[in-house]
Amino acid sequence: MNCNHFFNCVVLCLAVLLCLLPAGCSQQRPPLVSENPSTLQQPGQGQDEALEISNLSKYSPKMPSDVVTTENEFVSRELVSPSAAAEFMSKVSNDPNSTQSQSMRGQIYEISGRQDEALASFLAAIKLLERDRGTLRDENDRGSFMEGRIDSYYYAILQLLERRHYAEAFDLLERSRARALADLLASRPAGPTKPEDQARYGEINLLKARIAAKRTEITEDMRRGDDPQAKEAIRQAVTEVEKLENQLAKLKEGLEKESPNQGELRDSPPPVSLKQLQQSMKTEGFEMLQYLVWKTSVIVWHISADQIHVVKVDLPRYILQEKVQNFYNNLTNPERPNDPQVPFDEQAAREFYLFLVNPVSQWIKSKRLVIVPHEDLFSVPFQVFLNQKDNRFLGEDYQISYAPSATVLQGRHKSGPIAGGKLLVVSNPEFASEAETVANYYPRNSKILKDSLAQETEVKSLVDDFDLVHLSVHGKYISKAPMLSRLIFSSGESDDGNLTAAEMFGLPLGKCKLIVLSACESGRAEVSDGNEVQGIMRGLLVAGANSLLMSYWQVNAEATVQWMDTFYKIAQTQPPAEAARQAMQAVKSQVRYVHPYYWAGFMLVGK
């Protein structure tokens, strides 16, 4: 047994023992990209730290052969002794109705070599999870329910992949992905239709987001112990939560009278099947790369209309997280593109290609790729991954868009050219040049608000009349409360000018084919281990928008004008994904904009 596997077994023993404590056992997801990577706990610290550090060099590949992959082995072949396994098992409850018990027994069966029993236990745990989750009727409850419980799905997926049962593994993958968001989208047709009820629905979700943010503050203040200031902050926050909950109850009561059951989700619809997805690929001409970030590896899925390939890549989660954070920092600091001391990190771009694309590149035939990232991978634009064979970026050769899951994607209509659409442009006066550039493509069928910043209420009332919406305004991402992330408009008598992600739930965007947000950081989100995307993206999808174009970071104003000019020009006759590809190339071709900060800052969500 090697040192890494021995360490994993020790961790499993400790997890089993912790589960026997009165406080129970909780599994916590590692920090997201917004958190300090220096705080990440690395395997081997305190035990074989020197060995672990010496092995890190293998995670800086220079060529494809440096990346360790397998298409056949997804479950470890190195096992513990029967006596050790029996001792572990004796510490675990045999309660058939305990999700925790079933999952832990599955893990012990797995390291014992009893793989059929392991799979049966994991599937039993999932069945219990699905049962309990189905009783919840609030999307926040459903979204958070999987936190700390998702590993049962992933263990079972790996077991099924080991057996090459791809359809069943894909089904479980989709059941673990953005389920609450998929439920919201499925429930939307039964939602409020009157403008006043839609607005109330947005207010309800805003209150929920504020309550969640206050509860987070309370939790953080409680960690400060007996600090008098912390105690006073907790007292004030508790009072505020009570006030917000009373307001929420009244709003829900009013909405219930007009739109019965609006506050509840429908029973979870079945996720898209592999067969259904491949049928869509056949008729719509795209392929998919989907990712599962696991403890010690990344599982890369390539799916086309008639094939599926799954590759396990040796890349531990904690190393991936640090690479993502460093790469994001290199891409996003607006001072760095002009600083010769901090050039674009081409080596990192090549490493991401080698780890995440090259293992399946031989099977990619279409030029249209939909990416379904996982966890921190949502923070990285795949279009800047660099193929060392020809020194070309992935976004130069492929039309790329993104989705939180294949099920969410399946609910999107295929996007086509946007010529002849009815366009609303709302711009901060300092971005008037961008607004005029975009509006020029719809001279007889557009409304442009650019001379003064429009009021939030005005924007809410206008969007229902347009199938194309372009918002060129400032935005703010709130990392501790992502559903309070906002677009900034002017305030009025009935609003504060901050259109939050939560309020966007109530926007009437059912007619909207494409909404473009060139606002700063509009595409940033907190992504859970179950791929629940919390941020502006979530709000706009639930509101009914078919496709979104959003920014990863605080984009450069001048480069954005040129990016959008090319995008709208090409999108008159080509799909948005092709327009985005050419827009990227057009900006990149200019010497002063060669750094990806200028040309890679936009994410297209949808088909």
Side-chain angles (χ1 to χ4, degrees):
M1 182 184 301
N2 65 27
C3 292
N4 285 338
H5 188 68
F6 176 77
F7 176 78
N8 290 335
C9 293
V10 171
V11 170
L12 178 58
C13 290
L14 292 174
V16 172
L17 293 174
L18 284 172
C19 286
L20 301 176
L21 297 176
C25 175
S26 63
Q27 301 175 15
Q28 293 184 350
R29 184 188 174 280
L32 290 167
V33 69
S34 59
E35 299 175 278
N36 186 348
S38 65
T39 65
L40 299 179
Q41 183 179 0
Q42 298 182 0
Q45 287 181 341
Q47 296 190 22
D48 294 325
E49 186 172 5
L51 177 62
E52 290 293 336
I53 292 174
S54 68
N55 285 338
L56 291 181
S57 60
K58 73 176 183 178
Y59 299 118
S60 298
K62 301 296 189 296
M63 57 186 65
S65 59
D66 293 335
V67 178
V68 179
T69 65
T70 177
E71 298 172 45
N72 302 312
E73 297 184 4
F74 294 88
V75 177
S76 175
R77 296 304 200 266
E78 299 182 73
L79 310 174
V80 300
S81 67
S83 60
E87 182 178 355
F88 297 163
M89 192 69 78
S90 69
K91 307 294 185 182
V92 180
S93 165
N94 192 26
D95 182 359
N97 293 313
S98 168
T99 301
Q100 184 182 52
S101 172
Q102 291 292 344
S103 181
M104 291 304 300
R105 294 179 74 83
Q107 293 174 57
I108 296 171
Y109 282 135
E110 184 171 287
I111 64 173
S112 305
R114 299 161 65 179
Q115 305 304 345
D116 289 343
E117 291 163 289
L119 177 58
S121 291
F122 293 136
L123 292 177
I126 291 170
K127 185 176 181 179
L128 293 170
L129 286 172
E130 295 277 339
R131 180 201 66 187
D132 294 341
R133 183 183 177 280
T135 64
L136 303 174
R137 287 292 178 260
D138 180 83
E139 66 101 4
N140 290 327
D141 292 338
R142 282 193 184 176
S144 62
F145 179 76
M146 288 299 181
E147 293 177 11
R149 299 179 174 95
I150 203 76
D151 282 3
S152 294
Y153 287 88
Y154 298 160
Y155 279 117
I157 287 168
L158 295 177
Q159 285 282 342
L160 289 167
L161 290 176
E162 182 88 2
R163 296 162 171 78
R164 295 182 177 267
H165 294 173
Y166 295 129
E168 294 92 332
F170 178 82
D171 178 72
L172 288 186
L173 184 67
E174 283 303 299
R175 289 184 181 278
S176 71
R177 288 290 167 91
R179 285 287 298 283
L181 176 56
D183 292 349
L184 274 170
L185 295 173
S187 300
R188 188 181 174 278
T193 56
K194 297 179 182 178
E196 59 270 24
D197 290 339
Q198 288 178 317
R200 191 181 292 141
Y201 182 47
E203 292 174 19
I204 285 173
N205 283 280
L206 176 59
L207 285 172
K208 288 181 179 180
R210 287 177 174 169
I211 290 170
K214 282 294 176 184
R215 287 175 175 164
T216 298
E217 290 179 17
I218 292 171
T219 301
E220 292 177 350
D221 286 331
M222 288 176 67
R223 293 173 181 155
R224 293 162 59 186
D226 293 331
D227 184 340
Q229 291 183 336
K231 289 183 176 180
E232 176 59 21
I234 291 172
R235 187 192 66 78
Q236 293 181 9
V238 169
T239 301
E240 181 65 17
V241 167
E242 291 175 351
K243 178 182 176 182
L244 293 172
E245 287 179 336
N246 288 334
Q247 295 176 20
L248 178 60
K250 291 180 180 178
L251 276 174
K252 282 185 172 180
E253 182 180 354
L255 183 59
E256 179 69 20
K257 291 179 180 178
E258 298 294 332
S259 302
N261 301 320
Q262 171 54 38
E264 295 187 353
L265 297 176
R266 293 178 172 180
D267 291 337
S268 294
V272 63
S273 68
L274 180 61
K275 181 178 180 180
Q276 290 169 327
L277 177 64
Q278 291 183 311
Q279 182 58 45
S280 294
M281 291 176 168
K282 187 175 298 185
T283 57
E284 299 175 16
F286 69 93
E287 295 178 28
M288 177 177 288
L289 297 182
Q290 186 158 196
Y291 297 85
L292 169 56
V293 178
W294 187 228
K295 300 171 183 179
T296 58
S297 58
V298 176
I299 312 301
V300 183
W301 303 61
H302 165 256
I303 306 173
S304 66
D306 53 6
Q307 291 184 319
I308 180 169
H309 305 93
V310 186
V311 179
K312 179 181 176 182
V313 178
D314 178 15
L315 180 61
R317 176 188 270 142
Y318 81 95
I319 292 179
L320 175 64
Q321 288 177 324
E322 188 165 0
K323 286 181 179 293
V324 166
Q325 179 70 78
N326 292 338
F327 195 46
Y328 185 84
N329 289 342
N330 179 259
L331 289 169
T332 59
N333 191 322
E335 296 178 0
R336 290 186 176 182
N338 300 316
D339 184 354
Q341 302 299 318
V342 190
F344 170 54
D345 191 348
E346 288 192 0
Q347 177 57 29
R350 292 189 179 96
E351 288 180 8
F352 276 111
Y353 186 93
L354 288 172
F355 279 125
L356 301 178
V357 179
N358 190 72
V360 295
S361 61
Q362 61 181 307
W363 298 301
I364 300 174
K365 306 303 180 186
S366 172
K367 290 299 183 181
R368 177 77 181 90
L369 282 179
V370 177
I371 310 291
V372 181
H374 187 213
E375 295 183 352
D376 297 67
L377 290 177
F378 262 97
S379 298
V380 220
F382 278 58
Q383 51 264 33
V384 300
F385 294 176
L386 192 57
N387 187 347
Q388 65 176 19
K389 291 181 181 179
D390 52 16
N391 213 38
R392 287 176 64 82
F393 292 97
L394 190 69
E396 293 183 276
D397 294 328
Y398 295 95
Q399 304 167 8
I400 297 175
S401 66
Y402 300 84
S405 71
T407 301
V408 171
L409 179 76
Q410 192 74 355
R412 312 293 93 198
H413 298 298
K414 181 181 179 181
S415 297
I418 56 176
K422 188 177 180 182
L423 173 71
L424 170 67
V425 181
V426 181
S427 171
N428 192 298
E430 64 185 286
F431 305 136
S433 176
E434 178 185 331
E436 292 167 357
T437 298
V438 170
N440 282 340
Y441 289 98
Y442 302 88
R444 292 181 297 276
N445 206 14
S446 65
K447 182 177 182 64
I448 178 170
L449 304 176
K450 65 179 179 63
D451 296 328
S452 61
L453 186 57
Q455 290 187 357
E456 178 188 352
T457 302
E458 183 180 15
V459 175
K460 289 177 178 177
S461 66
L462 284 173
V463 292
D464 189 31
D465 293 329
F466 297 87
D467 56 3
L468 302 173
V469 177
H470 186 105
L471 304 179
S472 181
V473 296
H474 287 294
K476 178 67 175 177
Y477 172 67
I478 311 297
S479 59
K480 291 186 177 180
M483 293 310 294
L484 294 181
S485 301
R486 59 186 181 268
L487 302 179
I488 302 171
F489 299 97
S490 292
S491 59
E493 293 182 0
S494 60
D495 61 71
D496 60 3
N498 295 313
L499 180 55
T500 66
E503 286 176 281
M504 292 176 189
F505 277 43
L507 290 177
L509 294 178
K511 301 175 185 176
C512 186
K513 296 178 180 178
L514 173 68
I515 182 166
V516 177
L517 305 183
S518 60
C520 300
E521 304 181 304
S522 57
R524 289 195 67 187
E526 177 186 323
V527 185
S528 71
D529 48 8
N531 252 30
E532 292 295 346
V533 180
Q534 300 290 339
I536 289 175
M537 181 192 304
R538 189 181 192 87
L540 293 177
L541 288 174
V542 174
N546 186 61
S547 297
L548 319 174
L549 185 63
M550 318 176 77
S551 61
Y552 283 100
W553 52 72
Q554 297 180 19
V555 293
N556 176 271
E558 293 181 358
T560 296
V561 172
Q562 298 187 40
W563 201 102
M564 291 298 170
D565 186 18
T566 304
F567 175 80
Y568 278 93
K569 177 181 178 181
I570 302 302
Q572 301 303 300
T573 57
Q574 298 289 328
E578 172 61 16
R581 187 187 72 84
Q582 293 195 35
M584 184 195 83
Q585 288 184 309
V587 176
K588 176 180 174 292
S589 66
Q590 302 180 51
V591 175
R592 60 177 175 162
Y593 295 145
V594 68
H595 194 289
Y597 162 74
Y598 294 107
W599 50 262
F602 291 100
M603 167 200 304
L604 181 66
V605 179
K607 290 183 179 178

